[in-house]
Amino acid sequence: MNQTYEQQYLQQLGERAKQASYALANLSAVQKAALLNAIAAALTANTQALLTANAKDVAAAQAEGLSAALIDRLQLDESRLAGIIADIGTVVRLSDPIGEEFGSRVLDNGLRLTRRRVPLGVIGVIYEARPNVTVDIAVLALKTGNAVILRGGKETLESNKLLSEVIRSAIASQGLPQDAVQLIDSPDRALVTGLLKLDRYVDMIVPRGGQALQRHCAEQATMPVILGGIGVCHLYVDKQADLKRALAVIANAKVQRPTVCNALDTLLVDELIASCFVPQIAKYLAPLGVCFSACSHSAGLLEGLGVTVTLATDEDFANEWLSLTLGIKIVKDIDDAISHIRTYSSGHSEAILTDDIHAAAHFMNQVNSAAVYVNASTRFTDGGQFGLGAEVAVSTQKLHARGPMGLEALTTYKWLAWGDYTSRS
């Protein structure tokens, strides 16, 4: 695309999205439920076509030698697609936040104030190899009366094109503007930068991808950007932890789905239990395919166990592995663990395993990530697991939205004021 055409194309996207958002803003909860159910039915009816389109993307990704982690994120099968469709039903059943009024009060001058939740308007979402995001974002946006402009990765082009076509046809079947959901189907990266300049039409950008994408959006966007999705997640095993029960929780955090942002990256172990526990956890995880990037102390404890170990660097502890590699660091105590987390965490999810209530409270108070767990896996940081339905993203910043972003994160509010021909004195 030449620059003039790019600008015209993006402006048309923005104009159509803004117009569609006006039609969505005042839909009733009944109308929204009918719309989302129509989308679920349309996706179900097109299951085989969607799987065929996705298979083309997977084959192309394999031919290009993309990583196993990326291909896992990209791939749809009948079970995954059925789960995506089932999540739509969950969103349908959630309370609609739009129109909710809160914070009502009457001022001394008689002016009555309240706040009412309203849609943001138009949301731009830039994401990589996850076709489920196309459905999740569209459904959450429509539930909250927002229009959305989607730009997926080139790896998911065939999947996303068909998904968006099916969703748009379902929207039109309900008598609503299909431009409520639009997909930028060109891999031209200049369109990403162009989208980031559409502040006249787009109210918020959500990048879901690697650090380079996050930084590019933060530096280039002329509208608010929600940063997140980078998970350098930690789990600290306290000296008072139940070490036998700890094994399964750590395995779940690391192995259940290692390619996602809430998977465990670094295991921190109190030095008082390290000589006992580090060999234990290594023997437990190694048969599951896990290899280890270990500090010098823990590497010494793993010698002769027949597990794959490399010596960790500072850069390794700052790495989101997205694989079956686990960092291990032995720390002096809970405060040393907290210090390590403050240095290397991305602010996503951290956990402590302990039977000491005081240690648990201290960890909860001192660790300031989006989600902090006591005696639970980091894998729970997810909109569905938190009862929010599907999620837009997991925000690791502190303003507007934090953690899994469900329906409420896609709303803002306006002040409503009632007077009696009231003038300011």
Side-chain angles (χ1 to χ4, degrees):
M1 290 185 185
N2 62 52
Q3 189 173 7
T4 300
Y5 181 77
E6 286 171 1
Q7 292 173 345
Q8 292 174 344
Y9 169 72
L10 289 168
Q11 183 164 334
Q12 288 172 359
L13 281 181
E15 289 174 347
R16 293 197 294 260
K18 183 63 75 175
Q19 288 300 315
S21 73
Y22 299 145
L24 298 173
N26 294 308
L27 291 180
S28 69
V30 172
Q31 289 172 305
K32 292 177 183 177
L35 172 57
L36 299 193
N37 285 326
I39 291 172
L43 292 172
T44 301
N46 286 275
T47 292
Q48 290 308 313
L50 290 167
L51 295 179
T52 299
N54 181 254
K56 293 179 182 178
D57 286 331
V58 171
Q62 291 170 335
E64 291 183 23
L66 298 185
S67 69
L70 196 62
I71 291 172
D72 177 65
R73 291 183 177 205
L74 165 63
Q75 191 163 27
L76 289 177
D77 54 26
E78 287 195 21
S79 175
R80 284 189 181 181
L81 185 55
I84 292 167
I85 296 169
D87 284 342
I88 297 175
T90 301
V91 175
V92 170
R93 292 187 291 272
L94 294 173
S95 297
D96 185 351
I98 300 301
E100 174 193 351
E101 294 190 357
F102 60 100
S104 297
R105 63 185 185 272
V106 178
L107 304 183
D108 290 342
N109 60 12
L111 201 65
R112 181 162 59 90
L113 294 175
T114 190
R115 281 175 280 179
R116 179 183 295 168
R117 290 204 182 279
V118 296
L120 285 166
V122 178
I123 302 164
V125 185
I126 305 165
Y127 53 107
E128 295 175 348
R130 286 189 179 182
N132 65 293
V133 174
T134 303
V135 179
D136 292 349
I137 298 291
V139 166
L140 288 173
L142 294 170
K143 174 82 172 186
T144 48
N146 292 290
V148 66
I149 299 174
L150 304 168
R151 203 283 189 176
K154 64 179 182 179
E155 304 86 2
T156 55
L157 189 56
E158 296 300 322
S159 304
N160 286 340
K161 283 168 65 176
L162 187 53
L163 284 167
S164 64
E165 288 171 12
V166 171
I167 291 169
R168 283 165 60 85
S169 67
I171 295 171
S173 76
Q174 299 299 300
L176 296 167
Q178 61 181 7
D179 289 331
V181 174
Q182 296 180 87
L183 175 74
I184 297 175
D185 60 7
S186 168
D188 187 347
R189 293 190 176 185
L191 292 172
V192 172
T193 301
L195 176 61
L196 298 176
K197 307 300 183 185
L198 283 183
D199 56 287
R200 181 178 175 185
Y201 306 106
V202 178
D203 298 285
M204 184 174 76
I205 289 287
V206 182
R208 290 186 56 156
Q211 189 67 41
L213 174 63
Q214 303 270 334
R215 293 316 314 161
H216 180 70
C217 292
E219 292 166 4
Q220 297 294 321
T222 54
M223 70 286 285
V225 178
I226 296 290
L227 299 177
I230 306 297
V232 181
C233 302
H234 299 79
L235 189 151
Y236 167 58
V237 186
D238 180 59
K239 61 181 179 291
Q240 295 296 329
D242 183 327
L243 300 186
K244 184 176 180 180
R245 298 178 72 193
L247 298 172
V249 176
I250 296 167
N252 176 262
K254 180 70 238 180
V255 176
Q256 187 194 48
R257 198 171 179 194
T259 61
V260 294
C261 60
N262 57 21
L264 177 63
D265 293 291
T266 300
L267 183 69
L268 304 171
V269 182
D270 191 292
E271 65 179 5
L272 293 180
I273 59 169
S275 60
C276 166
F277 187 69
V278 169
Q280 262 188 288
I281 191 60
K283 290 177 183 177
Y284 192 90
L285 293 179
L288 302 176
V290 178
C291 58
F292 305 93
S293 179
C295 68
S296 57
H297 187 177
S298 54
L301 296 174
L302 297 176
E303 287 182 5
L305 296 182
V307 300
T308 303
V309 185
T310 58
L311 198 61
T313 64
D314 288 345
E315 290 75 18
D316 290 330
F317 285 124
N319 192 29
E320 182 186 26
W321 291 109
L322 300 175
S323 69
L324 285 171
T325 298
L326 177 65
I328 300 183
K329 175 72 181 293
I330 295 172
V331 292
K332 290 185 297 183
D333 52 26
I334 188 171
D335 288 317
D336 194 21
I338 291 167
S339 177
H340 180 97
I341 291 169
R342 288 173 175 170
T343 300
Y344 295 102
S345 172
S346 63
H348 194 293
S349 301
E350 327 296 347
I352 180 175
L353 299 181
T354 185
D355 287 341
D356 182 343
I357 191 170
H358 300 292
H362 183 63
F363 189 87
M364 283 282 212
N365 291 337
Q366 295 297 316
V367 173
N368 193 19
S369 291
V372 185
Y373 297 90
V374 173
N375 296 333
S377 167
T378 57
R379 286 281 291 119
F380 284 103
T381 309
D382 172 84
Q385 293 293 318
F386 277 19
L388 304 177
E391 70 187 29
V392 180
V394 177
S395 169
T396 56
Q397 62 187 43
K398 298 178 182 179
L399 295 179
H400 171 61
R402 198 174 193 199
M405 293 174 60
L407 298 175
E408 190 173 306
L410 298 185
T411 70
T412 182
Y413 60 82
K414 60 184 176 184
W415 289 91
L416 302 178
W418 288 266
D420 184 18
Y421 295 89
T422 307
S423 298
R424 178 173 173 173
S425 59

